Amino acid sequence: MTDRDRPAPRSAPTARGNDRGGNDRGGNDRGGNDRGGNDRGGNDRGGDRPRDAGPRDSRDRPRDAPRSAAPRDRSIRPSERPADPNAPAPRRNTPVGRRPARPTVRGPSVKVPLDVARLVRAGHPWVFRHTVRRDLDNLSEGAVVPVIDEDGYGVGWGLVEAEGAIGVRMLSLHADFSWNEAEMLTRIRQALRLRGPALLAQGAVRLLHGEADGFPGLALDRLGDYLLLYKYARCAESYLDTLVPLLEQELKPAGIYLQDRIRSVTAADDRRPPAFHLAGKAAPPEVEVGEDGLKFLVDVTAPVSPGLFLDLREGRRLLETLVRGRSVCNLFSFTGAFGLRAVRAGATAVTHVDSAARSHARCRQNLAASGMDPEAVEAITGDVFTLLEKFRQRGRVFDFIVVDPPPFSNVKGNTFSALKDWNQLMAAVAGVVSPGGHVLAISNAVRLPEDEFFLALGEGVHAAKRSARLVGECGLPPDFPVPPAFVEGRYLKIKLLQLD
């Protein structure tokens, strides 16, 4: 691990609502497939610039121009005003609750347009760099700064990001706020309390999910007796070393590891360093974890995925209710979590297709650990498109097909991109689905919006001269919470289609 990837020294910034500004920093798989906070995709999913042109700029009057006597309409389009300047503004789209107090700080701050302020107050945790009124270059990465709207009213407090599309990651919307050890401890305990005993009883569970649990740029999974942190933003280094002792105190893990998800995996450079050992004892190569009575072997030191995608839990549960007495094909099967569910549910046959033979080997280990026949699944190694064409030519069909590709893959020169190739993949899949059969189509690409995903699925089915209908869907499990206004946080799309 390079010096750049090591956690920052053990100090964390503290800021109060009446301070002069934030302190300087104390210090988004299967190959680039951060689902998490994304864990597979890196995503990276924190840091993608919005697909549209960004929030509208409302600076359409000179700075010294007199204000209208009418109250300001704080809708998403602040240029829409009543025709009569003396008439009261309509209450449509006005913020709920009391108007925030003007900040008293005179030091560094981040000023945003009214439409951006409204979005942040509604719970969106990011301020994109292109929306900030002033350049952020004079603020240190990880500095805790007040965020205000263009009228000077307080919005909240956030952590500065020095690079990337995201300029500030929000910490709090409260005027009186301190980012310190006590606040972090409160947030850890609340996250555990909100998950409840049923979720915490799982052997593999997400304990902290980034901004939704109040820890910008970080996520935390418990895998058996070990904790695995995911770092998605450099600003998280400013509080990481204060957080780790609190995790040891509250959760008492055998050890803690950190996986750096900042650097995206590309086709040209598809390697990351192994997870960094932060605290406790070193983990063995295989750690057994449980999920709904099944057992999986994971590697908490792995550079990308430990071997089980926790965010797909609801999709696996959905499959288990539908495949009894049916033939199942799991494409991009990885370590076989869907296949184990199908075997337990009583599927007549289960076939796995993956380009990595080691994934099939781990699946056999998972079957044995769960008390099943390790040869219960037919394992085929190779390129998915090539094998689907062979199935079609031989007339082999399946009653239920799981399609869970990574956002990007390269197998012997054959590349797949979720942003542009889903229609071709769906066309190939539709050719081997039995009449009345189902396809569970899964996308974790944050930059593939739901409408475009549906469009690609429909184009593929049409190209195969079939028809399909949507009969079910699900998304992230409850240990992956998302603020309602945080559209980018809802990256996972799981759609159940039935073909004619």
Side-chain angles (χ1 to χ4, degrees), residues 48-230:
D48 289 328
R49 188 184 182 94
R51 290 175 293 277
D52 57 16
R56 192 174 297 185
D57 194 338
S58 60
R59 293 180 295 176
D60 30 17
R61 57 175 169 77
R63 184 179 299 272
D64 298 325
R67 294 183 179 273
S68 168
R72 185 151 201 156
D73 173 15
R74 295 181 178 274
S75 67
I76 277 290
R77 297 179 176 82
S79 60
E80 295 178 358
R81 304 280 189 268
D84 181 1
N86 295 318
R91 295 187 58 82
R92 163 177 65 87
N93 288 335
T94 54
V96 178
R98 295 183 303 169
R99 185 173 178 136
R102 287 186 184 272
T104 59
V105 297
R106 298 190 181 184
S109 63
V110 174
K111 181 176 287 190
V112 298
L114 296 179
D115 51 354
V116 175
R118 179 189 176 201
L119 190 62
V120 171
R121 289 181 178 122
H124 197 291
W126 298 342
V127 174
F128 289 99
R129 192 173 305 278
H130 72 281
T131 68
V132 176
R133 293 299 198 207
R134 300 189 190 96
D135 199 342
L136 298 175
D137 290 347
N138 61 331
L139 299 176
S140 301
E141 184 150 51
V144 181
V145 295
V147 178
I148 61 176
D149 66 21
E150 63 182 20
D151 287 342
Y153 288 93
V155 177
W157 295 82
L159 287 174
V160 173
E161 277 271 37
E163 298 177 350
I166 301 172
V168 178
R169 293 176 184 262
M170 297 302 297
L171 281 167
S172 174
L173 300 181
H174 297 292
D176 186 14
F177 170 73
S178 296
W179 186 228
N180 54 24
E181 182 178 305
E183 178 64 25
M184 294 181 202
L185 185 59
T186 297
R187 294 184 179 197
I188 292 171
R189 290 173 175 172
Q190 176 167 305
L192 297 176
R193 183 173 63 254
L194 291 176
R195 276 154 177 78
L199 263 178
L200 296 179
Q202 294 279 1
V205 63
R206 174 143 297 187
L207 299 180
L208 300 176
H209 190 54
E211 284 83 349
D213 287 311
F215 291 94
L218 277 185
L220 176 70
D221 289 347
R222 188 186 67 208
L223 300 171
D225 294 331
Y226 289 84
L227 299 180
L228 180 57
L229 277 162
Y230 302 90

Side-chain angles (χ1 to χ4, degrees), residues 406-408 416-422 443 445-449 452 456:
F408 181 88
F416 171 82
S417 169
L419 300 182
K420 60 185 182 66
D421 295 331
W422 249 106
S443 172
V446 68
R447 287 178 291 175
L448 180 65
E452 293 183 19

